[in-house]
Amino acid sequence: MKKSVFVTRQLPGDGLRKLADSCDLRVWPNPGPITPQSLHSEMVGVQGLLCMLTDRVDCNLIKSLPGLEFVSSMSVGVDHIDVDAMTDRKIPVGHTPGVLVETTADTAFALLLAAARRIAESDRFIRHGQWSSANTWSPEFFVGKDLWGATLGIIGLGEIGKAVARRAAGFGMQVVAYNRSEASAPGVDLLPLEDVLAKSDFITVHVALADDTRNLISAQRIALIKPGAVLVNTARGGIVDEVALAEALMDGRLSAAGIDVFSEEPITRSSPLLNLPNVVLTPHIGSASVQTRIRMADLAVANAIAALAGQTMPCCVNPQVYD
Ligand code: GLV
C-alpha cells in the first residue's frame, strides 16, 4: 500500500507531480497557511509531511502522530520544527540548503544598499507628494552612507555569509566576520563577535536561529555596535533584539537598518520598527526569486521521495537518525 504524504502548500515547478507518483498525496487546498488545528487533523494517519517555515511542527504535534516517518521542509531554517523530538523518534527532517544561497545574499545586499542610500524613504517622499521646488536637490538632500571603502561585518560565515562577502569585495568594502567555529573566505578577517560589532560600518546577520543564537545580537551587544552603523537581518527575527534595535535607531546610535525577518511574523502592528523612517522592511522574502523557489520545492520533494523509498534524504538536518 502506498504511503500518505500531506503537503501544506501548492508548490512551484513540477515537484508535486513527481511526488504523486510515489505516494498518496494530499495538498492543502486553501489559500494562506494551514492553521495548527487543521494541520493536526490533516496529519492523522499520514506518514510524511512536506511543510513550509510557516507551519509549526512542535513536540505536541509530533507526539500525536505515531505513524509519522519523515518531515521535509521547504526552507533552509528549521526553527519551526522540534528537531530534537524528531531525532528522539529517529524521524529524518529534510531541508533545502545551498539552493537559496545566492538569492538570499542578493536580498541582504539589496537591503544594505536600500538602507545605506535611503531608497525606501526616498520612494515614500515622492509618492507622498513631498518633492517640491522648495524641497528638492540640495547638497544635503537625502544623503546616505557609502558602501565603497566601508567595513562590512558578517555575523555567520556560512554559505550565505560567504556569498555576501563576494558581493562586498566587488563593492570595494573591507570584510570582517564572526563565526562560532573555524571558517574562512578570501579577503575576510575572522574576528571575535564584539570586535566585528565595534569595527563594522555595516553589519549583516547570517546565522541560523537555534538555542545558542537566540538573542545573539542582544541589547548589550547592540550597544557595542560602531555609532552610525547600518544593520541588516535576513536570517531570523529571534537573533536580534528588535526593541533594542528600534531604540538604537530612534536615538541615532545606528543610522539605518534593513530587516526581512521578525520575532513575530507577520510583524505585529505594535512593532516600534514600523514607525521608523530609517528602517527598510521586507516581509521575509530572502529566498523569493522564481527560480530559487522552484529549486527549493524540488529539493523538498527529493527529500520526501528519498524518505518514501527508505533512502537517506539528500539534505537531512538530523542524519544521526540513520545510524
Ligand atoms: C528562509 O528563511 C528559509 O529558511 O528557507
Side-chain angles (χ1 to χ4, degrees):
M1 202 171 84
K2 278 187 170 176
K3 293 188 173 167
S4 313
V5 174
F6 179 64
V7 182
T8 61
R9 283 283 177 140
Q10 288 294 336
L11 302 184
D14 64 355
L16 285 178
R17 201 182 37 73
K18 286 192 197 133
L19 186 57
D21 290 339
S22 313
C23 63
D24 274 334
L25 184 66
R26 177 165 158 76
V27 182
W28 180 241
N30 300 340
I34 190 168
T35 62
Q37 295 77 2
S38 301
L39 179 58
H40 191 276
S41 47
E42 289 287 346
M43 284 302 295
V44 173
V46 168
Q47 285 80 44
L49 170 64
L50 195 161
C51 66
M52 309 293 125
L53 57 80
T54 44
D55 306 315
R56 293 233 71 77
V57 183
D58 58 18
C59 63
N60 289 333
L61 177 67
I62 295 164
K63 259 193 225 139
S64 70
L65 303 172
L68 185 65
E69 293 181 11
F70 70 87
V71 171
S72 169
S73 182
M74 185 181 145
S75 63
V76 64
V78 288
D79 46 288
H80 55 297
I81 301 174
D82 188 334
V83 176
D84 288 341
M86 298 285 288
T87 306
D88 287 347
R89 289 250 319 261
K90 296 231 171 288
I91 300 175
V93 177
H95 70 151
T96 61
V99 292
L100 45 65
V101 166
E102 301 297 337
T103 304
T104 308
D106 280 350
T107 307
F109 236 83
L111 286 174
L112 274 174
L113 284 164
R117 297 299 305 278
R118 304 173 61 181
I119 301 296
E121 204 184 334
S122 305
D123 180 271
R124 284 192 299 270
F125 174 82
I126 295 181
R127 287 176 199 277
H128 294 165
Q130 291 163 297
W131 194 16
S132 63
S133 37
N135 195 2
T136 189
W137 197 99
S138 77
E140 296 199 332
F141 186 68
F142 275 103
V143 290
K145 283 171 74 87
D146 280 327
L147 264 62
W148 183 85
T151 299
L152 174 66
I154 299 177
I155 313 289
L157 196 59
E159 290 310 308
I160 299 173
K162 288 177 187 169
V164 171
R166 289 194 292 276
R167 284 158 178 74
F171 274 78
M173 303 181 89
Q174 321 296 323
V175 186
V176 296
Y178 161 75
N179 202 61
R180 71 181 163 175
S181 56
E182 210 37 60
S184 66
V188 179
D189 281 340
L190 211 61
L191 298 176
L193 177 56
E194 283 67 25
D195 294 356
V196 171
L197 298 176
K199 268 181 179 248
S200 304
D201 304 296
F202 294 87
I203 294 168
T204 180
V205 180
H206 298 289
V207 291
L209 177 61
D211 288 346
D212 57 342
T213 57
R214 193 173 297 282
N215 204 32
L216 181 71
I217 311 300
S218 59
Q220 288 85 340
R221 292 204 170 108
I222 287 173
L224 301 177
I225 294 178
K226 182 172 179 178
V230 172
L231 183 123
V232 164
N233 186 7
T234 52
R236 280 294 184 274
I239 298 162
V240 177
D241 182 328
E242 272 172 22
V243 173
L245 173 66
E247 279 167 10
L249 288 160
M250 225 172 310
D251 67 20
R253 270 183 298 127
L254 296 192
S255 65
I259 308 292
D260 183 52
V261 286
F262 302 87
S263 50
E264 226 179 292
E265 295 184 4
I267 192 169
T268 48
R269 296 312 304 167
S270 60
S271 168
L273 295 173
L274 287 171
N275 300 322
L276 297 174
N278 49 347
V279 187
V280 184
L281 302 169
T282 49
H284 203 146
I285 57 165
S287 64
S289 76
V290 174
Q291 301 91 327
T292 289
R293 287 293 164 81
I294 292 173
R295 284 192 285 261
M296 290 169 71
D298 288 351
L299 184 48
V301 164
N303 281 331
I305 290 176
L308 284 164
Q311 291 161 1
T312 303
M313 286 178 168
C315 292
C316 183
V317 180
N318 55 349
Q320 63 272 40
V321 300
Y322 295 116
D323 290 345

